[in-house]
Amino acid sequence: VDDQPGDAALNAPNAPDDVQFTLDIINWLEDGYYIDNRKVYATGLSNGAFMDYALSMLASKNIAAIAPVAGNLWADNNYLTTLLQSGNVKTIPVMHVHGTADNEVPYPDPDNTPNDYGEYPLFVMARACGALTYSKVVPIMDNVDKLVFCTTPVEVSLIRIKGMGHDWTNGVYNTTLEIVKFFGLASPVANVLSRDEQNNNVQLTTLVDDLLSIN
């Protein structure tokens, strides 16, 4: 996370601005479809999880919550500190899922012990409640626990999957379903129609009402 559109970590300063591209997609969906812009969420694995964290820092007013899996927050420390002190970054809920045996992106709590400022980047996100580390461990199932940094309404938690490598799930914990539930999207929703389709439906309903009134 920095003030440049490219990827400084890969020495590609002229790379496309992925954050702006994401915001453009959100705006396009908002203009063309009746989406609820208060319910836009981000999740992804590995690099996708890094992108989740970038959006939480640089587009927090456009993203309601994130659920990064097997990722981290890459950031220039000076820029990140300045960004957080600016007051422009909104605190949002975070559900971070990670395996303890990840050899690609290190698991953020390797000693399985709460330490102030020890579980990066979770303590950064836990500024939502002022926590410096997690306060409790909630067993979910065998080899899966939730480490709670902040509770609702701005929950920040780390789902620890013991023995899992750089992966989405260990085959038992249903990461997809749990993320959907975390985002509050578990209930069935209607198909999203474009503005034109919805306008046509309104016109058709009006026509039917007119015909019924004639009869």
Side-chain angles (χ1 to χ4, degrees):
V1 177
D2 55 30
D3 59 350
Q4 301 301 316
D7 191 334
L10 298 178
N11 194 28
N14 296 319
D17 189 337
D18 290 339
V19 172
Q20 186 58 54
F21 175 70
T22 303
L23 292 175
D24 289 344
I25 290 177
I26 294 172
N27 290 334
W28 180 79
L29 289 170
E30 188 176 351
D31 289 341
Y33 296 81
Y34 286 114
I35 68 166
D36 188 342
N37 59 14
R38 300 167 300 174
K39 296 182 179 180
V40 178
Y41 306 94
T43 186
L45 171 71
S46 193
N47 280 342
F50 277 82
M51 186 63 188
D52 295 341
Y53 274 115
L55 292 172
S56 74
M57 295 287 105
L58 301 174
S60 61
K61 293 180 176 61
N62 304 88
I63 304 296
I66 63 170
V69 180
N72 207 314
L73 169 62
W74 180 90
D76 174 87
N77 287 335
N78 291 331
Y79 177 75
L80 180 60
T81 298
T82 301
L83 183 64
L84 293 175
Q85 291 176 347
S86 71
N88 294 323
V89 180
K90 177 184 175 183
T91 56
I92 61 175
V94 179
M95 174 183 169
H96 183 129
V97 181
H98 217 130
T100 60
D102 192 335
N103 292 322
E104 297 291 331
V105 180
Y107 172 70
D109 181 38
D111 62 358
N112 296 313
T113 302
N115 297 296
D116 287 357
Y117 302 108
E119 297 84 26
Y120 184 81
L122 275 301
F123 72 80
V124 177
M125 312 313 296
R127 71 192 189 284
C129 64
L132 300 179
T133 186
Y134 55 95
S135 56
K136 61 181 177 179
V137 178
V138 180
I140 297 176
M141 61 174 62
D142 287 346
N143 298 317
V144 181
D145 302 302
K146 175 192 279 190
L147 282 57
V148 180
F149 291 75
C150 297
T151 58
T152 54
V154 186
E155 178 179 336
V156 177
S157 59
L158 168 62
I159 304 300
R160 173 176 65 196
I161 304 182
K162 298 176 183 177
M164 187 178 79
H166 191 64
D167 213 334
W168 180 264
T169 177
N170 62 352
V172 178
Y173 180 73
N174 193 332
T175 300
T176 301
L177 176 60
E178 294 306 317
I179 288 175
V180 168
K181 289 164 60 178
F182 178 73
F183 288 160
L185 303 175
S187 299
V189 295
N191 292 330
V192 177
L193 301 178
S194 71
R195 289 185 184 274
D196 289 341
E197 290 170 326
Q198 293 190 41
N199 288 336
N200 288 339
N201 284 352
V202 171
Q203 292 171 5
L204 179 59
T205 300
T206 301
L207 177 60
V208 170
D209 289 342
D210 290 344
L211 291 174
L212 289 175
S213 65
I214 293 174
N215 294 333

